[in-house]
Amino acid sequence: MKILLFIALVSIVSAQFNDFDIKDYKDVINSRNFTGKVILVTGSNSGIGEGIVKLFSILGANVVVTGRKADDVQRVGKEVQELSPKKLKLSQELAYAPAKAGLDMLTRVLALELGPKGIRVNTLNPGATQVDKTGDPGVDKITPLRREGQPLDMAKGVAFLASSDASFITGANLVVDGGLVYNMGALGM
Ligand SMILES: *[C@@H]1O[C@H](CO)[C@@H](O)[C@H](O)[C@H]1NC(C)=O
């Protein structure tokens, strides 16, 4: 028992000097400081995009605001899906679904392609998000966290994925929905 404990301590101590720099731990305090970074957000003239742009401005980034047609997202989503090895079946389940599945696939393909170049690619998957003054009490009831998402909730997720805290995360799909995805039964889905 004593010998085992000793070995464990030795490995912790040697890890301290060989495997990491304590400065990397301390840098986490500043991980949301985006000073000197350029952030381009498509479709950022309203709703979630607007929330993302606002938060990144507050975090010090130079923000580029652009709009983009939803049609384009769907077209790219479809094209990527056709390129996917498994040829995932398209639902006839809302136009939103194939676009989203396409984006998930695009994320994985780009993560594979660009990882070796040091570029990370991730997706944030928002749940029901309140983008105007009238909320949806129905959504509040079936969401495990008992409220609708706000643009700021989504912006925080994006800031995390873009930050150095996510430096080893690529090809991920971060679901920010208050747990709604686990209660789709309540929607009859
Ligand atoms: C953010 O980083 C910049 C330098 O990159 C520094 O000048 C600034 O004070 C930092 N802001 C905060 C709030 O720490």
Side-chain angles (χ1 to χ4, degrees), residues 29-30 32-36 58-60:
I29 290 173
N30 298 311
R32 297 299 192 280
N33 184 349
F34 285 86
T35 303
I58 288 167
L59 298 177

Side-chain angles (χ1 to χ4, degrees), residues 118-135:
I119 298 171
R120 298 184 297 107
V121 183
N122 295 295
T123 302
L124 183 136
N125 212 325
T129 305
Q130 187 182 344
V131 293
D132 55 28
K133 289 235 163 67
T134 42

Side-chain angles (χ1 to χ4, degrees), residues 77-167:
K78 264 190 186 154
E79 283 171 9
V80 169
Q81 204 158 34
E82 272 157 26
L83 289 175
S84 89
K86 288 185 180 167
K87 297 254 186 311
L88 294 170
K89 224 175 166 185
L90 289 181
S91 156
Q92 296 298 310
E93 204 208 296
L94 294 166
Y96 179 66
K100 216 155 68 61
L103 281 177
D104 289 351
M105 189 55 67
L106 181 66
T107 302
R108 287 175 223 158
V109 170
L110 288 180
L112 270 172
E113 296 263 325
L114 300 176
K117 297 186 168 81
I119 298 171
R120 298 184 297 107
V121 183
N122 295 295
T123 302
L124 183 136
N125 212 325
T129 305
Q130 187 182 344
V131 293
D132 55 28
K133 289 235 163 67
T134 42
D136 185 343
V139 169
D140 294 1
K141 265 196 207 109
I142 59 169
T143 300
L145 291 182
R146 288 292 182 268
R147 66 174 177 86
E148 218 173 340
Q150 302 294 316
L152 178 58
D153 295 311
M154 309 308 143
K156 284 174 175 172
V158 173
F160 163 67
L161 288 174
S163 78
S164 54
D165 285 351
S167 58

Side-chain angles (χ1 to χ4, degrees), residues 4 17 33 37 51 59 93 151 184:
L4 273 182
F17 293 105
N33 184 349
K37 306 278 187 202
L59 298 177
E93 204 208 296
M184 290 315 256

Side-chain angles (χ1 to χ4, degrees), residues 21-57:
D21 189 333
I22 197 67
K23 191 182 161 294
D24 294 336
Y25 280 67
K26 291 183 176 171
D27 279 351
V28 175
I29 290 173
N30 298 311
S31 64
R32 297 299 192 280
N33 184 349
F34 285 86
T35 303
K37 306 278 187 202
V38 177
I39 304 290
L40 185 144
V41 182
T42 63
S44 48
N45 47 338
S46 67
I48 294 173
E50 185 183 348
I52 293 169
V53 166
K54 281 182 187 161
L55 182 59
F56 274 100
S57 305

